[in-house]
Amino acid sequence: MRVVVCLLAGLVLAGTVEAARLPAIPNSDTQVHAAVAGIEATRITAAPRIDGHLDDEAWASARPATEFVQRDPDEGQPATQRTELRVVYDGSALYIGARLFDTEPDKIVRRLERRDSGDDADWFTVYLDPHHDHLTGAQFRVNAAGTLADAIIYNDTWTDESWDAVWDAAVSVDAEGWTAEMRIPFSQLRFPRSEHDTWGINAARFIQRRNETSWIQLVPKRENGLASRMAHLTGVAGIDPPHNLEVLPYSVARAEFVAPSSTGDPFNDGSRLFGGMGLDLKYGLTSNFTLNAAINPDFGQVEVDPAIVNLSAFETFFEERRPFFIEGAQIFRNFGRGGSNSFWGFNNAEPQIFYSRRIGRSPQGSASAPFVDRPTASTILGAAKLTGKSAKGWNVGLLEAVTGREYARLSGADRSRAEVEPLTNYFIGRLQREVARGGFGLLTTLVDRNLGDGSLGDLLLHRAHVVGADGYVFLDKKHDWVITGMMSGSRVSGTLAAISRAQQASQRYFQRPDARRLDLNATSMSGWAGRLNLNRNSGVWQVNAALWGVSPGFESGDLGFTFRAGVAGTHAVLLWRKPEPDRFTRSRGVFVAKWWTWDSNRIRQGDGLHFGGNATFLNYWESVMHVGLFRRAQDSWLTRGGPIATEPGGGFVATFFGTDSRKRVSLNFGPFYSWNEFGGGGVNTFSNVTLKPSSSVSVSFGPSLNRSHSLAQYVTAVADPRATETFGTRYVFSDLDQTQLSMSVRATWSMTPRMSVQVYAQPLLAVGDYRGFKELARPGTFDFLRYGSDIGALSYDAAARRYSVEPFDFAQGGPDLAGPGTPFTLADPDFNFKSLRANVVFRWEWRLGSTLYIVWTEQREDSANPGTFSLGRDTRALFGARPADVFLVKLAYWISR
């Protein structure tokens, strides 16, 4: 209750303005809307030709801005090279002309890279705030080789590089330096209509060989702000924001070559061919609102997910990679995160309300037959997204998507099909309003499934609804200190079986015998989640603190991601950072943090002390160190629905070293060591080498090796009424020695700024050796009884790969007075998982906004020799495994009017 009261108090405070993992050290730099310099845009009658030369008549009428000031390496000093910025416009676009003088033009770094890369070269970036709200905007970058990059700015300092606007730029190099010329269509920006507009503008130049960044409007390193600290762009007058229509029809052809897993498979003869067409549409409903729609969309992702070995009870979280769902999604992702530029987490289980990978997910139903052809993803029949900002300052985001019914084809004695995913509607809505000293907003999600009368009704929830409110308030006029908070509630409904399954899911384990909450008569479940943060956004000394909680019944997993429920926590961080150079380093920082977590029964689940530091040396090498120490606590999840157990105390030491990334050869290296008080722990090391053999080719590769020894790897639970100490169930564990070796390889060849080939490969070898099977002796402890020594008899059938356990008490000289326990068997859980995932992507923007993709993907897997690791043998087995190859060609044509 105290958690709820504190969170609500924070949200009310914000509203009254208007009416373990390893955290990185944040580069938190004040949001001050002080008077700033002005840049005047000149209206032109004839548009300049975008060729990288400022010789058109249009540029002669523009007055240049030249007062660029260094931020790095010598903050506050004039830029070492002169830069001239000119801004002109006509009725359709804004034009940026930059003359970047250089006394050593032969040393200008011109690296060709993929779009949204290009930062390892000389570059020029312009930042715009068309709304002039000091919170949002867009940035456009071009490097000296012509590579483009763009991003959306939100929450003042945060950027979303998934946004790809349709704009153009060209560059040229001569004996006096280089020139950048940009054309940014007004159709790609959002701004209200006004006779005399004032926009925010800033510009930055980077000289790679000196690591020098200079700005036309400098924000000191000890301060904070991007959109809020821009200069004023004046002179933009009489522009009617266009109601632009963009249509992107595309066609896709895909060929799959997958060897059948067994002979006689009627659904797979080794090859499959697919083809399809679709349409993406973007329409400016008003000057501030844009509608995105997709008809028969192709939502496949070009990049593959990495292979992982997950031995926990929890789902793996993968990042979204599909453009439709990541472009413009910042309005949904910033729920509860306004105002503050820094969020730390220590075993933080705060749920994610919106996780777009739920839309089009792999079907959840099961099907059984000798041969099964199961779809790998749900078909998205259509999707639409509306985003924008009203004239009164409300940010609005709406997303609606519908996925179709999916069936698995079955073949046995006869042919049939089984429904594995129902017709489902997904909706998310977001409102947000910023005001002078803060902001507030609402968010809601709704999932509605048409389950019918099939078995899916006992597996899936019929309806899932989440509604939340968030807000933030600045405590001082400089917008330095801020309180940020959010509160959300959920309600899910379904059949008795579906709700029972949700109650017993790994996020909450309502069936725990020592804290039972299971209600077998329930047809719904409700809960809440909330957080309250205090942060100082800038300064040498910074503070971050948080209080958060998730009630046992909270569930956002149908359109979000619930990590754990029935848990709460708090932390406090004190950070010191000094960004100015001294005798040895260019910048440095240290922090100390204290954190706790506990479950809904107020039992401490975590108690840790965390401290660390980082430094960038004068030669631009980097070093980071983190140390964590944990006191003994309790673990409500170790037995996976059984009684609570002890979480051993322990700690970790993690370090990172990196050389100057501008060099042709650079190296990153990071060892990690962990331990606990009972002898468990592990060592993990990774390294990465980046090579730049030419101005258009880059290659990075590096191995990662993890060796760990777990003292309590969960195996299974076996009902036995004689196991009275553990409530009639034996909770079986094992020691686990695990070795995991992987290698990540990325190579990019950029032929032109709009044409590139990227190669990605990840071989993975993961071996687990289970030994010393045992059971939890009593709740609330880390005491175990080993089979074959402390209790019972253990035997192994090598042919069947099964263990047999006959539990009886040796202390009684044999079976105890109550009689022997119930014998049971265990499948040998040893594993040797070998995986290769490779991906080659050719991308060509053959005309503005129109793209050709040619993609080849290969996957290989093997599981021979479980429990033993041999680098040579396992590598040969991996590359000798049967491949699954997919070839894809996608052609898109951009039409705008």
Side-chain angles (χ1 to χ4, degrees), residues 40-61:
E40 184 175 357
T42 303
R43 183 146 194 161
I44 57 176
T45 56
R49 182 175 56 188
I50 305 302
D51 57 3
H53 299 279
L54 304 183
D55 53 5
D56 298 272
E57 182 181 348
W59 297 115
S61 61

Side-chain angles (χ1 to χ4, degrees), residues 478-750:
K478 297 199 314 180
H479 291 188
D480 193 9
W481 291 88
V482 61
I483 292 177
T484 304
M486 55 79 67
M487 190 76 187
S488 58
S490 71
R491 188 178 190 277
V492 297
S493 59
T495 64
L496 295 175
I499 296 299
S500 175
R501 183 173 178 271
Q503 292 181 90
Q504 298 179 71
S506 60
Q507 289 82 2
R508 54 191 58 84
Y509 290 136
F510 278 11
Q511 71 272 31
R512 276 182 51 198
D514 55 346
R516 189 175 178 85
R517 297 174 181 266
L518 185 63
D519 182 359
L520 297 177
N521 296 315
T523 57
S524 65
M525 183 176 68
S526 302
W528 59 265
R531 172 181 42 79
L532 191 66
N533 275 78
L534 170 68
N535 189 64
R536 188 183 184 194
N537 285 330
S538 63
V540 174
W541 290 96
Q542 296 180 11
V543 173
N544 182 272
L547 177 65
W548 57 270
V550 186
S551 78
F554 184 84
E555 178 58 73
S556 64
D558 291 87
L559 192 48
F561 202 103
T562 302
F563 298 91
R564 292 188 182 189
V567 62
T570 187
H571 74 255
V573 181
L574 179 63
L575 168 69
W576 175 84
R577 54 185 297 273
K578 189 177 181 182
E580 296 84 10
D582 60 17
R583 292 176 57 193
F584 304 104
T585 63
R586 296 189 177 275
S587 64
R588 67 222 60 84
V590 294
F591 77 91
V592 61
K594 187 72 180 76
W595 59 269
W596 298 266
T597 60
W598 57 91
D599 69 9
S600 56
N601 296 312
R602 301 183 181 179
I603 298 174
R604 191 178 70 233
Q605 300 283 302
D607 184 350
L609 179 66
H610 194 155
F611 52 93
N614 69 336
T616 300
F617 300 98
L618 294 179
N619 62 356
Y620 295 101
W621 288 30
E622 296 178 275
S623 177
V624 179
M625 174 174 283
H626 286 239
V627 178
L629 301 173
F630 316 121
R631 292 178 58 194
R632 184 184 297 186
Q634 296 292 293
D635 189 341
S636 299
W637 282 267
L638 183 67
T639 57
R640 303 193 184 185
I644 198 169
T646 289
E647 172 73 17
F652 70 85
V653 176
T655 57
F656 168 83
F657 305 95
T659 65
D660 188 346
S661 62
R662 298 173 300 157
K663 304 298 184 181
R664 285 186 174 270
V665 179
S666 60
L667 171 67
N668 294 329
F669 173 70
F672 176 94
Y673 172 68
S674 64
W675 71 91
N676 70 39
E677 61 181 301
F678 297 122
V683 176
N684 179 38
T685 60
F686 77 90
S687 62
N688 187 76
V689 178
T690 300
L691 307 176
K692 302 167 189 173
S694 74
S695 62
S696 61
V697 176
S698 65
V699 180
S700 65
F701 60 92
S704 174
L705 175 63
N706 179 38
R707 300 290 300 270
S708 64
H709 176 63
S710 173
L711 298 174
Q713 176 61 47
Y714 179 86
V715 177
T716 190
V718 179
D720 189 338
R722 292 179 174 83
T724 55
E725 286 279 2
T726 50
F727 303 95
T729 300
R730 300 186 185 275
Y731 296 94
V732 182
F733 292 83
S734 171
D735 292 357
L736 172 62
D737 291 317
Q738 189 172 355
T739 300
Q740 181 168 302
L741 176 65
S742 66
M743 171 79 78
S744 293
V745 180
R746 290 187 184 272
T748 302
W749 176 32
S750 298

